[in-house]
Amino acid sequence: MDAALPAEVAGADPLVRRSEHADFQSNVALSLAKRLKRAPREVAGVITEQLRDEVIAATELSGPGFVNITVTDSSIWSQLAVRTTADRLGVGTPLAGERVVIDYSSPNIAKQMHVGHLRTTIIGDALARVLSFLGAQVIRQNHLGDWGTQFGMLIQYIDEHPDAKWHHGDLAGGADAPIVALDRLYRQAREKFDSDAGFADRARSRVVALQAGDPDTLQVWTDLVAESQLSFQALYDRLGVLLTPEDSAGESTYNEYLDEVTDELVRAGIAVESNGALCVFFEEFTGPDGQPVPLIVRKSDGGYGYAATDLATLRYRVRKLGATKILYVVDARQAQHFQMVFATARRAGWLTDDVQAVHVPFGTVLGPDGKPFKTRSGSTIPLSELLDSAVNRAQEIVAEKAPDLDQETLDQVVEAAGIGSVKYADLSGSRIKDYVFDVDRMVNFTGNTGVYLQYAHARIRSILRNVPPAEASPVVDTTLVLEPAERALVLQLDEFGKAVTDVADSLEPHRLAGYLYTLAHTFTSFYEACPVLKADDPRVRGNRIAVCALTGDTLAKGLELLGIAAPERI
């Protein structure tokens, strides 16, 4: 392009992509033709004439102005050789220097995590893994719901029922037991609050005591948080999620900043009084009646709601945590809320051109009936029950397909397959779309499923276990002619870095999931067409062992970035 085109367009993105018609294709001529006032085929022609390079085996001008490019066999083998010995599979760290805060999961204290927490937890964790792998300093933040009037209600109920057992030391059933007990107590407290005016008054007084720092009340609250986090962490560990108690920063963390934030907004004329409440108004946000929809920073009774906490949280993440980007992995229904919070923060000067705040929305988990996934009684389904259903189904399938596995290995495999199937089902589609939670489809060894990818990885490891020690570290012979299936697989392997950076650019983990599925499928075609251990020529055998090793490592790393285990056997 430098040689063929005027300087003002020579530096444009050449728009080179993989192609079904050649190894690569560029459609840059079509994008530049109008600016150059020339026909696309003419532009493509002059570019093609300049494509002289030792890596390029052939070029072809096709269609309205596409440039097809085929590279040499030796260049493909050379790329394989470089990547088999490179650190990090040859992927760089383009996000080095970025400091990214990711807000995800955010369950409520004293309540079981349910299906509504599934997507934020899985998507957020995948993004944390990918951005960290690409060099960003990632700060995970679990914005727990740990403050508010509901805690006065629960603490008062516990105080009036001293025999209630909810500490893990008093319960059987493992780490999940405290949150199950607290969830039950919360529902009982809510029922009494709604039916007993005297209890409701006492609960409200307990809220005041909590907010005033009453030692006895604070001690119960502290225990509620600790016992809840114990249960949450057990679930995170089972899910293979990176969150730890150190990542927790609940609503209570920002209480001390609420007055300060409000005063700053008032002094700047951003927040104004309206019907006794303190609000921020926007021309761009209106309701169905055409009237402005305000962001209520402080309610008419003097209390603070989510908006004030979210504003204080954002300001803290910019000023104290030094974030260059903040991602909020929260469902799509909160879109307008975050738009108003971000707009307010920009007005206040907390969000500058150097800091990005991004709402990362996602759709709903649906049941087989196409409606939001709930029990027959209409209540939400605990997340632990969903995971159990997938693991149980995996147990049935794996036990049938691999009856020779010992019990310990079987238990490990079915847990990895069941949990992986749930996570992959979530991550393999565009996050903004709803998806159906269908265990039979998820835990399937064929099709675009997590188990299919895990099985492909395990099969590669099985092949490599049978490689004689003397051939375990082959030197790639770059002089060999590529078979079509070899060519397709090695070129696909070389797309790994792009798939990962695409996730970082789009915040769409399905870009990586789709890549891994294509890679696994391409490997299957390669394995069917190209004998590995039975190849007669030791040079061919060595190259194919190297291809298998890189494919296995790429699948393992890709699954790891999605938070999915890659068992050695399945």
Side-chain angles (χ1 to χ4, degrees):
M1 288 170 63
D2 282 343
L5 302 177
E8 63 267 22
V9 297
D13 184 339
L15 301 177
V16 177
R17 304 290 184 266
R18 286 294 311 283
S19 171
E20 296 178 357
H21 307 289
D23 291 338
F24 300 96
Q25 185 180 81
S26 168
N27 64 354
V28 69
L30 281 74
S31 70
L32 294 181
K34 190 172 182 179
R35 289 175 61 186
L36 294 172
K37 298 180 180 178
R38 297 165 72 180
R41 277 188 68 88
E42 181 187 347
V43 176
V46 296
I47 293 174
T48 303
E49 288 174 6
Q50 299 297 330
L51 281 171
R52 306 279 189 271
D53 191 283
E54 61 184 18
V55 170
I56 296 174
T59 59
E60 177 191 20
L61 177 59
S62 71
F66 299 115
V67 178
N68 291 335
I69 303 169
T70 300
V71 295
T72 63
D73 290 1
S74 61
S75 67
I76 295 176
W77 285 127
S78 295
Q79 187 76 342
L80 173 72
V82 169
R83 294 193 64 236
T84 54
T85 58
D87 292 335
R88 299 164 42 85
L89 299 174
V91 179
T93 54
L95 300 185
E98 285 202 30
R99 195 172 170 88
V100 184
V101 172
I102 306 183
D103 182 325
Y104 66 107
S105 195
S106 307
N108 293 314
I109 294 299
K111 293 183 181 179
Q112 284 183 278
M113 289 177 67
H114 55 75
V115 65
H117 296 105
L118 179 66
R119 304 209 67 191
T120 172
T121 304
I122 291 174
I123 295 168
D125 200 62
L127 293 177
R129 289 169 179 271
V130 167
L131 298 180
S132 179
F133 178 65
L134 292 176
Q137 182 179 0
V138 172
I139 303 172
R140 300 181 297 273
Q141 293 281 274
N142 196 354
H143 192 72
L144 300 170
D146 67 351
W147 202 249
T149 56
Q150 68 270 30
F151 290 99
M153 178 184 73
L154 179 56
I155 293 170
Q156 185 62 33
Y157 188 84
I158 288 172
D159 187 56
E160 295 180 11
H161 296 78
D163 295 334
K165 297 186 184 302
W166 51 277
H167 290 86
H168 67 276
D170 299 327
L171 299 167
D176 199 39
I179 202 70
V180 173
L182 286 171
D183 199 311
R184 182 174 60 253
L185 288 172
Y186 179 85
R187 290 196 300 271
Q188 293 168 351
R190 166 57 67 182
E191 185 177 336
K192 190 169 181 63
F193 184 90
D194 292 338
S195 62
D196 185 335
F199 175 76
D201 289 339
R202 296 193 298 277
R204 293 187 186 99
S205 297
R206 182 68 72 167
V207 174
V208 175
L210 177 62
Q211 293 174 340
D214 173 65
D216 292 339
T217 303
L218 272 178
Q219 183 58 58
V220 178
W221 175 82
T222 301
D223 287 353
L224 289 173
V225 173
E227 294 293 337
S228 299
Q229 285 196 297
L230 184 71
S231 295
F232 296 156
Q233 193 58 48
L235 196 51
Y236 292 144
D237 290 345
R238 187 182 187 192
L239 274 169
V241 166
L242 297 174
L243 287 170
T244 68
E246 288 70 34
D247 300 317
S248 296
E251 295 168 4
S252 62
T253 305
Y254 309 100
N255 283 340
E256 61 182 291
Y257 304 113
L258 298 182
D259 289 341
E260 187 180 310
V261 164
T262 304
D263 290 344
E264 192 172 332
L265 293 175
V266 170
R267 286 197 306 272
I270 297 168
V272 297
E273 190 173 315
S274 177
N275 296 324
L278 201 60
C279 305
V280 180
F281 289 91
F282 314 85
E283 291 182 3
E284 61 268 38
F285 301 119
T286 57
D289 58 359
Q291 295 300 309
V293 175
L295 184 70
I296 302 175
V297 179
R298 190 172 63 209
K299 295 178 284 188
S300 57
D301 62 4
Y304 292 110
Y306 292 123
T309 302
D310 285 341
L311 287 167
T313 302
L314 190 153
R315 191 183 73 150
Y316 180 89
R317 289 169 176 172
V318 173
R319 291 185 177 177
K320 299 294 180 68
L321 299 183
T324 57
K325 181 182 287 186
I326 310 171
L327 305 181
Y328 292 83
V329 187
V330 182
D331 78 65
R333 291 170 294 181
Q334 300 297 317
Q336 188 177 78
H337 169 76
F338 281 110
Q339 288 171 357
M340 292 194 291
V341 168
F342 298 162
T344 301
R346 277 189 284 272
R347 285 193 205 175
W350 307 330
L351 275 182
T352 65
D353 292 341
D354 297 326
V355 184
Q356 269 188 295
V358 183
H359 176 210
V360 184
F362 52 84
T364 303
V365 180
L366 304 177
D369 59 358
K371 297 178 181 178
F373 206 2
K374 294 186 178 181
T375 63
R376 291 183 179 179
S377 65
S379 60
T380 54
I381 298 176
L383 187 48
S384 58
E385 289 187 15
L386 286 184
L387 299 182
D388 287 342
S389 68
V391 171
N392 291 339
R393 184 69 182 112
Q395 171 92 28
E396 297 171 4
I397 295 176
V398 174
E400 179 183 337
K401 286 186 173 290
D404 57 328
L405 288 178
D406 62 83
Q407 190 60 49
E408 182 179 356
T409 303
L410 177 64
D411 290 343
Q412 293 172 350
V413 166
V414 298
E415 185 74 10
I419 300 300
S421 69
V422 171
K423 298 179 83 169
Y424 188 81
D426 192 311
L427 297 171
S428 58
S430 176
R431 59 176 160 74
I432 199 62
K433 295 181 179 179
D434 300 339
Y435 82 94
V436 174
F437 193 95
D438 182 343
V439 169
D440 288 336
R441 185 188 64 79
M442 290 175 180
V443 188
N444 198 318
F445 277 72
T446 60
N448 190 7
T449 67
V451 183
Y452 174 76
L453 296 185
Q454 290 174 320
Y455 181 69
H457 170 264
R459 184 164 62 164
I460 293 169
R461 296 308 182 198
S462 176
I463 294 168
L464 296 174
R465 280 194 295 273
N466 290 313
V467 173
E471 300 180 29
S473 301
V475 175
V476 176
D477 188 329
T478 61
T479 66
L480 296 182
V481 175
L482 276 161
E483 295 292 332
E486 291 173 324
R487 183 182 214 90
L489 180 54
V490 179
L491 285 172
Q492 183 65 22
L493 282 166
D494 209 43
E495 294 286 296
F496 176 63
K498 180 180 183 301
V500 177
T501 54
D502 278 352
V503 174
D505 293 340
S506 65
L507 305 178
E508 287 275 15
H510 82 271
R511 304 288 182 91
L512 177 56
Y515 165 81
L516 294 176
Y517 173 68
T518 301
L519 178 63
H521 194 267
T522 307
F523 174 80
T524 298
S525 299
F526 157 81
Y527 189 64
E528 290 172 351
C530 301
V532 178
L533 301 182
K534 293 183 178 180
D536 295 329
D537 187 331
R539 299 176 304 159
V540 172
R541 194 163 59 247
N543 278 20
R544 289 178 182 173
I545 290 170
V547 170
C548 287
L550 184 58
T551 305
D553 291 346
T554 302
L555 282 171
K557 175 55 71 174
L559 287 168
E560 177 192 325
L561 293 178
L562 295 178
I564 297 172
E568 296 284 314
R569 302 173 188 270
I570 195 168

